[in-house]
Amino acid sequence: MDVKRDKLVITEDESVKQAYQKYQDLKSAIDHWQQERGSHWLAAMALAPKPPYLPITDLPEDAIIELWQRLNTVAGAPISDGEARELWRQFREGQFTMNPELMSRLHLALGGVAQLAANKAKSQGVPAIGVSYIASDDPTTSYLCPVCGEAATLAILVQPNGQRNLHCNTCSFEWTVKRMGCLFCGNEDAKQLIYLKNEEFPGIEVAVCQVCGNYLKEIDARQRKVKDYTWEDLRTITLNLATERWLSENVKNTAELH
Ligand SMILES: [Zn+2]
Ligand SMILES: [Zn+2]
């Protein structure tokens, strides 16, 4: 089959190393918290009978705040419990008033708690197959995480034959989806899918759908060894930025012609 490819233009980002150090420090604080507090909070979590098994809005609030506060302390920027609760309340109402650093630590805390839910789902034998049970009536919802309900942004092509799994950056759950086609709109016309890549990132392509303008980063695990997919997605954020630019220069122009 004729696969369409195009090259992405990348601008160098020097802050990646610094960001990685910060991420690692927070990540190890999350690991410690999960070991120390995980079984306590797991007892308070019940999975729904069907997906999403534990949406992030149903995670125990006290667990999120406890982990978030721990991360704020590790980052050297503690806030009072009262302030944390007030900011969390605003966040849940869709008011994003906190500074970006606090917000990114809140996202990590949500992820840390959601991972407990994903582990519970795995241990209860929840099948990691999105398409067949989550969305038999609507094939375009398979990009939503069956555990936490968040949209996946990263696909992994796994051994031995490149089966496509999605990786949830919130709870780290992985599930299998169909190999070809756009997961966002259901388009299966290969001529409308284009794969963008840059030689600095071997083994990664961005699959862009020219029908709906959505894209999915795909890492070929047969070519690229990755220890932490959530970090890998963050680390390669320049590919997302370059894709957004490519889309604004190509797809939107094309759409305007119609
Ligand atoms: Zn998830
Ligand atoms: Zn599409």
Side-chain angles (χ1 to χ4, degrees), residues 15 22 26 28 36 53 58-59 67-68 72 75 94 104-105 112 141 148 162 170 181-182 191 206 254:
S15 57
K22 253 192 216 172
L26 295 173
S28 81
E36 192 190 315
Y53 295 109
D58 290 351
L59 292 172
L67 178 54
W68 187 26
N72 291 333
S104 76
R105 287 194 292 274
T141 55
C148 72
T170 300
C182 172
K191 287 198 287 298
V206 184
T254 318

Side-chain angles (χ1 to χ4, degrees), residues 39-40 67 98 117 162 176 184 215 232:
S39 52
H40 168 79
L67 178 54
M98 66 185 101
T176 302
F184 302 99
Y215 64 90
E232 189 69 2

Side-chain angles (χ1 to χ4, degrees), residues 182 184-185 187 209 211-212:
C182 172
F184 302 99
C185 74
N187 162 46
C209 173
V211 173
C212 66

Side-chain angles (χ1 to χ4, degrees), residues 144-169:
L144 297 174
C145 174
V147 174
C148 72
E150 296 296 293
T153 55
L154 185 70
I156 307 165
L157 309 181
V158 296
Q159 304 272 15
N161 50 6
Q163 167 185 297
R164 182 159 68 163
N165 288 356
L166 291 186
H167 174 87
C168 176
N169 279 350

Side-chain angles (χ1 to χ4, degrees), residues 46-224:
L47 302 182
K50 61 183 179 55
Y53 295 109
L54 200 56
I56 54 171
T57 46
D58 290 351
L59 292 172
E61 176 179 306
D62 288 346
I64 296 163
I65 293 192
E66 182 182 289
L67 178 54
W68 187 26
Q69 286 290 59
R70 198 173 278 202
L71 298 182
N72 291 333
T73 305
V74 167
I79 57 173
S80 74
D81 256 26
E83 194 182 350
R85 281 182 192 280
E86 177 55 22
L87 287 169
W88 167 247
R89 191 189 61 76
Q90 291 174 7
F91 174 80
R92 288 205 54 172
E93 285 175 1
Q95 305 168 25
F96 304 112
T97 46
M98 66 185 101
N99 72 52
E101 297 264 313
L102 259 179
M103 176 78 99
S104 76
R105 287 194 292 274
L106 175 56
H107 277 289
L108 284 171
L110 276 169
V113 179
Q115 273 163 24
L116 296 175
N119 291 341
K120 185 165 186 152
K122 271 183 239 168
S123 72
Q124 292 189 359
V126 164
I129 297 171
V131 183
S132 64
Y133 75 103
I134 198 177
S136 48
D137 50 347
D138 181 1
T140 61
T141 55
S142 62
Y143 69 96
L144 297 174
C145 174
V147 174
C148 72
E150 296 296 293
T153 55
L154 185 70
I156 307 165
L157 309 181
V158 296
Q159 304 272 15
N161 50 6
Q163 167 185 297
R164 182 159 68 163
N165 288 356
L166 291 186
H167 174 87
C168 176
N169 279 350
T170 300
C171 73
S172 301
F173 194 72
E174 289 179 5
W175 64 104
T176 302
V177 291
K178 63 182 179 175
R179 174 68 185 87
M180 294 307 293
C182 172
L183 299 175
F184 302 99
C185 74
N187 162 46
E188 291 195 339
D189 180 0
K191 287 198 287 298
Q192 297 291 345
L193 291 165
I194 186 152
Y195 291 83
L196 304 176
K197 61 189 300 171
N198 178 280
E199 64 271 15
E200 277 181 50
F201 298 96
I204 306 185
E205 289 189 336
V206 184
V208 176
C209 173
Q210 292 180 288
V211 173
C212 66
N214 281 300
Y215 64 90
L216 188 63
K217 195 186 285 174
E218 295 189 342
I219 297 182
D220 193 332
R222 295 163 301 175
Q223 289 177 37
R224 193 176 178 92

